[in-house]
Amino acid sequence: MTANAPETHPSDETLRGQRVGDFSLRHIGADESAQKAMLDVVGYESLDALADAAVPSTIRQEEALALEDPRTEAEVLAELRALAKKNQTAVQMIGQGYYDTITPPVLRRNILEDPAWYTAYTPYQPEISQGRLEALLNFQTMVQDLTGLPIANASLLDEASAVAEAALFMRRANKKVKEGAILVDSEILPQSLAVLQGRSEALGFDVVVIDVANGLAQYEGDVVGLVLQQPGVSGVVRDLKDVIAEAKGRGAMVTVAADLLSLTLIEAPGLQGADVAVGSAQRFGVPLFFGGPHAAYMAVAKGLERSLPGRLVGVSVDDAGLPAYRLALQTREQHIRREKATSNICTAQALLAIVASMYAVYHGPDGLTRIAERVHGHARSLAASLAGAGLELLHDAPFDTVTVSVPRRAADVVAAAKERGINLRLAGTDAVGISADETTTEAVIADVVAAFTETLGLEGELVSADAAEGFEIPESTRRESEFLTHPIFHSHRSETQMLRYLRKLSDRDLALDRTMIPLGSCTMKLNATAEMEAISWPEFASIHPFAPDEQTVGWRELISGLEDDLAAITGYDRVSIQPNAGSQGELAGLLAIRGYHLANGDSNRDVCLIPASAHGTNAASAVLAGMRVVVVATAEDGTIDAADLTAKIEANEGRIAAIMITYPSTHGVYDGDVRDVCEAVHAAGGQVYIDGANMNALVGLAQPGKFGGDVSHLNLHKTFCIPHGGGGPGVGPVAVRKHLAPFLPGDANAWHGGADVPVSASRFGSAGVLPISWAYVKLMGGAGLTRATQAALLAANYVSKRLADYYPTLYTGQSGLVAHECILDLRELTAKSGVTAEDVAKRLIDYGFHAPTLAFPVAGTLMVEPTESEDLGEIERFIEAMISIRAEIDAVAHHEIDLEASPLRRSPHTAAAVVDSSWDRAYSREEGAFPGTTSRQDKYFPPVGRIDGAGGDRNLVCSCPPIESFEN
Ligand SMILES: *Cc1c(COP(=O)(O)O)cnc(C)c1O
């Protein structure tokens, strides 16, 4: 309860036995009578009886979740306000990779706060994702133009991990020098260096920091790659052409970590000879968020696209020959390549990349240049004023950042500025850094100058930008080349145009605000408005990750509270919320295991056992943690093959580092013998990693920390209500038992080697979205969370039972029940009719649905996870669509219609296709567009027909196509 809550609150009253304002009744879609009807079909008396039958007694938790009582939405918002009040906003001039920015309100409200954008899933089904794919293609085009490199991906997790990815990329792609060091500019951001060093240690390559001003001769060994920072952490802008040429002369590849805004004034790294550019797109309209989520970018030179990590949007054509977007070159990704993937990244930062791209669309090249020039003017004004007062600057070529030498007085100056409400960067004991940004005003610059002169007893006055001389960007590095020339960056200057563009794109997509998204393993549940509201409050959103502790009291209270709640839920001892995706949680967990073995002197333990059915990120993460993947077979019934497990353990005696298992398994069932598996691996000296992506089947019923796990990651963007954002943000907390706690990730900004290897740029990763999960737990309480799990079990078992006669469920566990998802097996139908699971996925679009998970974990199947948030009406609508599709499959099987001519194969149907006057298909227009009971009023028409993915990969185009190509 908050201090100012009234004594008798309406929530204390009850209505028909239910607490008024009980949020769990809003979160859970099916009400009591609907649940009764569903239980009847499944064959159980009550939710408790169903859970007792489904969940093996060997793993059931004995006690109810020890969480605080549930709050109403009003109460939770009041508590969040009280926490927000404990944070202090300030003028943020710390810089070091994070800069304040103005989020145009039209973008804040219509992207960040609009469920049409934030509740969308990753665009694997491209026909219903054209809007967000276009926005992400704009992002790629923007990055390509600014960096001068032809291929850019659709975001990475943060700048520090992007630098690490770039180093690994150079090690993969360099054909001239295959082994050798990664040299790193001494001007690199400290957090990037720490994350890179953490990665290099696990993989066993050298990272050597050098002062590039003295050339590369100082390092004599082989060099695979060089990483430069432009502008440097001190703010210096240097002409890097010579050092880039020198590195390339030695066979090295070159990465430039570059600030995107500065690239409007500084020549593109690609044109200076760099092979790779990485960095953060945060200052393009994305709030500081106490460290994240922010989109990082990566761009590479021609011919290197197949080694690129992360998602890549490309242009292909649909069945009518019109341009259409889809994810390109997916064969690089972990879903297919597993331990040979280009990286472990799955969820990236799509929503934030979309905001950044729209910031560029809204401002255009001229607007961005004006913003950059103003920022640069403030930096020059600052440099001239401080130099005029007699202070020594570390360099005289700033873009936005000036670093001032103040021997032994740095802390005093920073404290004086703080008194004035301004945060500066303490760069050791002898220097202070000041970064200007889009929000900086002349008055702020005057205040900063005064903080220096008053503290140090100097005379000085403000020199305006116009009068500042001698602090220019070096002539040889000034930007000459054009950028953002595509019409899309020139046609949305008015707010009306911008608003309509955003609406047009979001209307092309199917997100949770229109339909259930029954994606197995992804848990697309409600992202409640009350959970979302706090994230854009300035007291949360405008806090710099390196702000002094006394300004972040509320943030840290919220975060440690959430970590404690997650520990209580999972049965582990400690939780770190630092990893900013499930994949990074896996890496953090595996690095903890590695650190533990090394600390015990077990340096031979490098084998990671992974079941054949595991998510692709598991294998890719194991490789990044320096482990060897050994695959364990799946038994007939979908469980881990016990004989194969024994054989693999014996074959690798003394070398087992870990097993990674998903529980309930990716097959959607609770394996009854999971304790035996854990014990066998423990007996062999290994640690047990339980992938917690399926925690929605466990919360309140069983705890991985208690039934054998040593470490798990969770996906807060699955189980704990952070929206999927069209492919990110995510949060992948890592939870451990006590013995692994010393190995949880530490603060990259303060890390100097040690067991607590950081995985993200900032201490609390994607802190900005944590209020969502915090609110969810508080709103539900222990009993509500447990009921949600039971309701999720009920929904999945209901779908499985109702569809049993049409599509058999591949695996069931004890009592013939599934867990929170079910795999519908289409392989026999495909054998009989030729209709594939993909045809069914595409045909569901005509019925207005997003497809279930296709071909994972078993090819030829669809994995359905309805979640607890769907009501019975929506679940029935889905079931009816699936039954109606079964009749269409039968028509093909019985040769009533040819497969190629069938509505299944020719789905999805665009409006243009069904109104075409030359319609000559073997079925009616009505059957095409309005199959079954599809609503005439609320019809969703996909903007494109079925897309040719392979064709697009053969002829790769990954930037905005010319407008004319859309003319029909
Ligand atoms: C989603 C998922 C992951 C990866 O999580 P990301 O946040 O996308 O990196 C890992 N394992 C399983 C089983 C998953 O379903």
Side-chain angles (χ1 to χ4, degrees), residues 497-694:
Q497 289 168 319
M498 191 70 222
L499 178 68
R500 289 185 187 148
Y501 182 51
L502 293 173
R503 179 59 191 259
K504 176 173 88 175
L505 293 189
S506 63
D507 271 355
R508 290 183 181 169
D509 290 9
L510 276 186
L512 272 181
D513 62 337
R514 288 212 241 194
T515 168
M516 76 188 289
I517 301 185
L519 280 160
S521 210
C522 297
T523 314
M524 298 293 289
K525 59 164 70 171
L526 170 72
N527 317 118
T529 308
E531 293 156 5
M532 295 293 298
E533 270 196 326
I535 70 165
S536 35
W537 295 350
E539 295 84 357
F540 287 128
S542 71
I543 306 294
H544 194 286
F546 308 141
D549 276 355
E550 72 265 23
Q551 295 176 10
T552 64
V553 173
W555 255 131
R556 287 177 297 115
E557 194 176 319
L558 181 147
I559 290 168
S560 65
L562 178 61
E563 287 177 342
D564 291 348
D565 284 352
L566 294 174
I569 289 167
T570 54
Y572 284 104
D573 298 310
R574 280 277 309 281
V575 171
S576 161
I577 55 78
Q578 184 181 104
N580 38 23
S583 60
Q584 298 304 82
E586 293 171 16
L587 177 62
L590 290 169
L591 289 176
I593 290 175
R594 178 176 182 274
Y596 173 77
H597 287 313
L598 288 178
N600 292 338
D602 272 345
S603 54
N604 283 337
R605 294 197 175 274
D606 65 347
V607 167
C608 190
L609 301 170
I610 299 185
S613 61
H615 196 270
T617 51
N618 287 186
S621 298
V623 170
L624 289 179
M627 296 183 185
R628 268 193 304 131
V629 174
V630 171
V631 176
V632 182
T634 304
E636 193 84 339
D637 63 355
T639 60
I640 292 174
D641 184 324
D644 195 48
L645 178 65
T646 309
K648 296 285 159 64
I649 289 176
E650 279 171 9
N652 294 285
E653 202 193 324
R655 306 212 56 167
I656 304 287
I659 188 168
M660 290 183 91
I661 51 180
T662 303
Y663 201 86
S665 77
T666 49
H667 293 141
V669 296
Y670 299 98
D671 299 357
D673 58 358
V674 64
R675 274 186 185 274
D676 302 339
V677 172
C678 297
E679 274 161 27
V681 173
H682 281 144
Q687 294 280 292
V688 174
Y689 188 107
I690 296 183
D691 180 327
N694 288 345

Side-chain angles (χ1 to χ4, degrees), residues 245-560:
E246 189 187 351
K248 300 194 89 167
R250 284 174 65 171
M253 292 179 80
V254 178
T255 295
V256 178
D259 177 276
L260 279 185
L261 188 64
S262 77
L263 291 182
T264 61
L265 305 182
I266 299 173
E267 193 48 281
L271 299 183
Q272 300 194 317
D275 305 287
V276 184
V278 292
S280 169
Q282 177 266 317
R283 73 189 314 176
F284 278 25
V286 180
L288 289 162
F289 279 142
F290 196 34
H294 303 139
Y297 72 84
M298 181 163 178
V300 299
K302 203 168 165 44
L304 299 174
E305 54 274 4
R306 273 160 223 278
S307 298
L308 186 69
R311 302 252 156 75
L312 182 62
V313 178
V315 185
S316 187
V317 291
D318 75 353
D319 56 4
L322 279 175
Y325 313 114
R326 93 282 175 239
L327 295 178
L329 301 185
Q330 286 192 66
T331 45
R332 298 164 302 125
E333 294 189 30
Q334 353 66 38
H335 305 299
I336 294 174
R337 293 264 287 168
R338 307 183 77 83
E339 68 268 23
K340 296 191 183 66
T342 53
S343 90
N344 67 335
I345 291 175
C346 179
T347 292
Q349 300 283 18
L351 190 69
L352 301 315
I354 289 168
V355 171
S357 80
M358 291 301 175
Y359 180 90
V361 166
Y362 199 36
H363 287 301
D366 296 345
L368 292 180
T369 306
R370 269 197 305 277
I371 292 168
E373 270 168 356
R374 199 173 64 229
V375 169
H376 180 50
H378 287 313
R380 287 174 34 243
S381 159
L382 194 57
S385 308
L386 294 172
L391 286 161
E392 190 193 330
L393 310 185
L394 263 55
H395 62 83
D396 58 7
F399 162 62
D400 63 353
T401 299
V402 175
T403 304
V404 190
S405 170
V406 277
R408 292 175 308 283
R409 301 298 306 278
D412 297 336
V413 172
V414 168
K418 194 164 72 184
E419 281 295 303
R420 293 166 181 266
I422 302 171
N423 288 338
L424 303 182
R425 174 170 182 258
L426 188 61
T429 50
D430 302 332
V432 175
I434 314 119
S435 294
D437 61 53
E438 190 186 1
T439 69
T440 306
T441 61
E442 211 166 291
V444 165
I445 297 296
D447 250 10
V448 172
V449 172
F452 274 91
T453 53
E454 283 176 19
T455 307
L456 303 172
L458 301 170
E459 295 284 317
E461 59 188 43
L462 188 69
V463 182
S464 75
D466 296 335
E469 271 170 39
F471 301 99
E472 318 297 329
I473 289 173
E475 185 88 47
S476 59
T477 44
R478 286 193 209 151
R479 180 144 195 150
E480 304 279 335
S481 54
E482 285 191 312
F483 55 92
L484 307 187
T485 53
H486 190 277
I488 204 75
F489 299 106
H490 294 263
S491 41
H492 300 91
R493 288 295 162 277
S494 80
E495 182 164 330
T496 301
Q497 289 168 319
M498 191 70 222
L499 178 68
R500 289 185 187 148
Y501 182 51
L502 293 173
R503 179 59 191 259
K504 176 173 88 175
L505 293 189
S506 63
D507 271 355
R508 290 183 181 169
D509 290 9
L510 276 186
L512 272 181
D513 62 337
R514 288 212 241 194
T515 168
M516 76 188 289
I517 301 185
L519 280 160
S521 210
C522 297
T523 314
M524 298 293 289
K525 59 164 70 171
L526 170 72
N527 317 118
T529 308
E531 293 156 5
M532 295 293 298
E533 270 196 326
I535 70 165
S536 35
W537 295 350
E539 295 84 357
F540 287 128
S542 71
I543 306 294
H544 194 286
F546 308 141
D549 276 355
E550 72 265 23
Q551 295 176 10
T552 64
V553 173
W555 255 131
R556 287 177 297 115
E557 194 176 319
L558 181 147
I559 290 168
S560 65

